[in-house]
Amino acid sequence: NYGIKKMMPRLVTGVLMVNLSYFICQGAVDLANIFGAGLGSLFEDLMIDSMPPDIGFSVGNTALASIIIAVVSFLVIKVKGLGTKIILLAILGVLVILLAVFMLFVVMVVRQALCILLVVFSPIAFVCYMLPGTKGIFNKWFTMFKGVLLAYPICSLMIYGGSYAGAVIYGTWVDNGDYSE
């Protein structure tokens, strides 16, 4: 009698969650996507506000412009005896940035595929929540689902936050008007 009273709320919750699992997961994915897009939009707005008005600098090519600015900055620096090393360092920096962009693309593709798989298996995960011996499987599924959902907001924060930081640095450099050492 005590076991039934103890398990009944979990059983009712599990049955409801199994039937609503697709809607629950869809809502969670939508919230994560809205949060990630909102972070990107926030940084884009801040970036537009921080740029000098006379600079024709669009938000869409900020990453490319940041790479070009970094390479030109390295080439403009006049350090005796380090010219070739600075050029090699600039080329290495561009390659690292391109690798990071490629890896970010891979992460987003894998996130999309894992999101679909985890939503498809969500009813099974919620059944595992309901059964006493399989709650560990639900915990693993839930941990993975949280990680997949957080991937887009984190990547959005890194991309747009980095672009904003680059725009602030570029705007400060342009505002000073001092282009020499």
Side-chain angles (χ1 to χ4, degrees), residues 33-83:
N33 289 342
I34 289 169
F35 185 65
L39 278 174
S41 178
L42 172 72
F43 280 114
E44 280 183 353
D45 291 344
L46 289 173
M47 192 174 355
I48 290 171
D49 292 341
S50 68
M51 292 304 296
D54 58 342
I55 303 293
F57 201 76
S58 70
V59 174
N61 62 2
T62 307
L64 179 62
S66 299
I67 293 170
I68 292 170
I69 290 169
V71 170
V72 169
S73 298
F74 279 126
L75 295 177
V76 168
I77 296 174
K78 297 177 183 175
V79 179
K80 295 181 182 178
L82 295 178

Side-chain angles (χ1 to χ4, degrees), residues 10-119:
R10 186 181 222 177
L11 183 66
V12 170
T13 304
V15 168
L16 286 173
M17 291 179 86
V18 165
N19 288 320
L20 298 174
S21 64
Y22 291 125
F23 300 112
I24 292 168
C25 291
Q26 178 185 3
V29 170
D30 287 343
L31 281 174
N33 289 342
I34 289 169
F35 185 65
L39 278 174
S41 178
L42 172 72
F43 280 114
E44 280 183 353
D45 291 344
L46 289 173
M47 192 174 355
I48 290 171
D49 292 341
S50 68
M51 292 304 296
D54 58 342
I55 303 293
F57 201 76
S58 70
V59 174
N61 62 2
T62 307
L64 179 62
S66 299
I67 293 170
I68 292 170
I69 290 169
V71 170
V72 169
S73 298
F74 279 126
L75 295 177
V76 168
I77 296 174
K78 297 177 183 175
V79 179
K80 295 181 182 178
L82 295 178
T84 306
K85 291 180 182 176
I86 290 176
I87 291 172
L88 291 175
L89 184 63
I91 291 170
L92 181 65
V94 169
L95 291 176
V96 167
I97 290 171
L98 291 175
L99 179 66
V101 168
F102 175 73
M103 291 306 296
L104 185 70
F105 176 74
V106 169
V107 166
M108 288 291 103
V109 169
V110 169
R111 177 201 183 259
Q112 186 71 24
L114 281 176
C115 236
I116 292 168
L117 283 174
L118 289 171
V119 168

Side-chain angles (χ1 to χ4, degrees), residues 117-129:
L117 283 174
L118 289 171
V119 168
V120 166
F121 287 115
S122 65
I124 297 169
F126 286 119
V127 167
C128 289
Y129 172 78

